[in-house]
Amino acid sequence: DRRRDSPAAGSPIQPIIKDVGEVYSRLLDHRPVIQGEIRYFVKEFEEKRGLRELRVLENLKNTIFETNERVLPKCEQAMQDNLSETFKRLQAANTMIHRLQEREYEARKLQADKVMAREEKCIAHWEEFMKEQQNKRAEVDEEHRKAMERLKEQYSEMEKELTKYASF
């Protein structure tokens, strides 16, 4: 304080220095504001909140302990029971599907065998038909050949008879 007061104790600069000091402390010196905020935070945390966080953490710890000790084993047991039953059902469904697939395979095989038998029957029938047609064609050809020979003979006889009459 002596240094401030002594050099400019009676000078007209003193109010300017005082004003500059106030402007500096208001604009640039944040220590009082920060200290006030810190005091308010500590007061808020210690006085108003009290042991609320500790109680919340204790309740959370108790809930987790109860969950681990009671609820989780019950859930595991229920899951095991349901999983084993579900596994049994899946095995039964798998067996039923396997049987259905076997039946379907047998039905398809039977159908394929029937189709093959019909095909073989049709082929045999076709071959028999073709042999029959060959025989009929041979008969028709033979009949045609005989008819042609008869006609040749008939025409040759007619020619001979014409030659007899042609001499007149």
Side-chain angles (χ1 to χ4, degrees), residues 23-143:
V23 167
Y24 170 79
S25 67
R26 284 187 180 181
L27 294 178
L28 302 174
D29 190 14
H30 299 295
R31 282 178 287 172
V33 174
I34 292 174
Q35 286 174 354
E37 287 295 321
I38 290 172
R39 274 188 248 116
Y40 176 76
F41 179 77
V42 169
K43 180 182 171 189
E44 177 75 21
F45 191 77
E46 288 177 350
E47 292 175 4
K48 289 186 177 178
R49 297 185 85 149
L51 300 175
R52 187 169 45 180
E53 283 79 17
L54 188 59
R55 285 191 306 265
V56 168
L57 289 174
E58 187 68 31
N59 288 340
L60 188 60
K61 182 183 114 186
N62 290 338
T63 303
I64 291 172
F65 180 77
E66 183 179 337
T67 301
N68 285 338
E69 294 298 317
R70 294 189 185 114
V71 175
L72 190 60
K74 286 180 184 178
C75 288
E76 286 177 355
Q77 184 62 38
M79 185 177 67
Q80 286 294 351
D81 293 343
N82 289 334
L83 281 178
S84 64
E85 187 172 330
T86 304
F87 184 70
K88 288 176 187 176
R89 287 182 180 178
L90 284 174
Q91 283 180 332
N94 192 20
T95 305
M96 290 164 71
I97 288 173
H98 186 64
R99 281 189 216 142
L100 284 173
Q101 285 177 335
E102 285 178 358
R103 288 179 190 161
E104 186 176 332
Y105 174 75
E106 290 297 323
R108 283 185 183 174
K109 187 177 177 185
L110 183 63
Q111 188 70 19
D113 289 345
K114 286 180 181 179
V115 167
M116 287 295 288
R118 277 192 230 130
E119 234 176 76
E120 288 173 3
K121 189 176 179 181
C122 284
I123 290 172
H125 184 66
W126 180 255
E127 287 175 358
E128 185 180 321
F129 175 75
M130 291 305 288
K131 283 180 186 177
E132 197 175 298
Q133 291 301 314
Q134 287 284 349
N135 291 337
K136 286 182 180 181
R137 190 177 101 205
E139 286 177 13
V140 167
D141 285 347
E142 182 64 26
E143 206 174 295

Side-chain angles (χ1 to χ4, degrees), residues 8-20:
S11 74
I13 295 182
Q14 187 175 7
I16 294 174
I17 292 175
K18 191 175 181 183
D19 288 341
V20 168

Side-chain angles (χ1 to χ4, degrees), residues 147-160:
M148 289 288 289
E149 288 214 8
R150 277 193 308 246
L151 284 174
K152 277 183 188 178
E153 285 176 18
Q154 185 181 0
Y155 282 122
S156 67
E157 282 180 28
M158 287 171 80
E159 220 176 282
K160 283 180 191 175

